[in-house]
Amino acid sequence: QVQLVESGGGLVQPGGSLRLSCAASGSIFSGYAMGWYRQAPGKQRILVAAMASGGTTTYADFVKGRFTISRDNAKNTVYLQMNSLTPEDTAIYYCNADGRHLPGNSYRDDYWGQGTQVTVSS
């Protein structure tokens, strides 16, 4: 089964930038849709950005123009470049790998990283 290892979170001042990385194990990575979600205390986990295996991207309205998702299939890694950060971006960010659509897979082929804390504060 795939494992996702995240890095890049931390403390940043408003207006600053961070780049999150998510390294996926196994050869299944290339066919999976990859996404970034976030969850703030007391709130639901919401989609931030996603990229299908073919490269199609989806962004939440609140990050359009500020965040960019990308993936490097050769490195089995997906990235989230976050610019112009605000305190409202403070949350735990989770990497997701969704392979439920692939032949032979099931509803269980949906994996999550451990989460990485992003704190935007002065």
Side-chain angles (χ1 to χ4, degrees):
Q1 295 186 250
V2 66
Q3 289 189 332
L4 306 177
V5 180
E6 300 169 338
S7 62
L11 176 64
V12 65
Q13 294 186 357
S17 298
L18 285 174
R19 190 192 195 198
L20 306 183
S21 299
C22 173
S25 65
S27 61
I28 60 174
F29 174 83
S30 295
Y32 277 56
M34 303 297 298
W36 289 95
Y37 294 72
R38 75 187 192 191
Q39 186 168 24
K43 296 186 177 181
Q44 72 272 26
R45 187 175 299 184
I46 58 175
L47 175 71
V48 176
M51 177 177 284
S53 60
T56 302
T57 58
T58 300
Y59 293 96
D61 286 343
F62 56 81
V63 304
K64 286 182 178 179
R66 299 191 297 126
F67 292 9
T68 303
I69 187 172
S70 61
R71 67 194 294 173
D72 186 337
N73 287 338
K75 296 181 179 179
N76 284 350
T77 301
V78 63
Y79 306 94
L80 184 68
Q81 178 66 47
M82 306 186 296
N83 300 324
S84 301
L85 287 163
T86 75
E88 292 188 348
D89 296 316
T90 296
I92 301 175
Y93 284 71
Y94 297 90
C95 181
N96 170 253
D98 187 352
R100 293 173 292 177
H101 61 287
L102 295 173
N105 285 6
S106 73
Y107 73 96
R108 291 167 291 186
D109 295 299
D110 187 32
Y111 303 96
W112 295 89
Q114 79 285 356
T116 184
Q117 178 70 48
V118 172
T119 302
V120 185
S121 176
S122 299

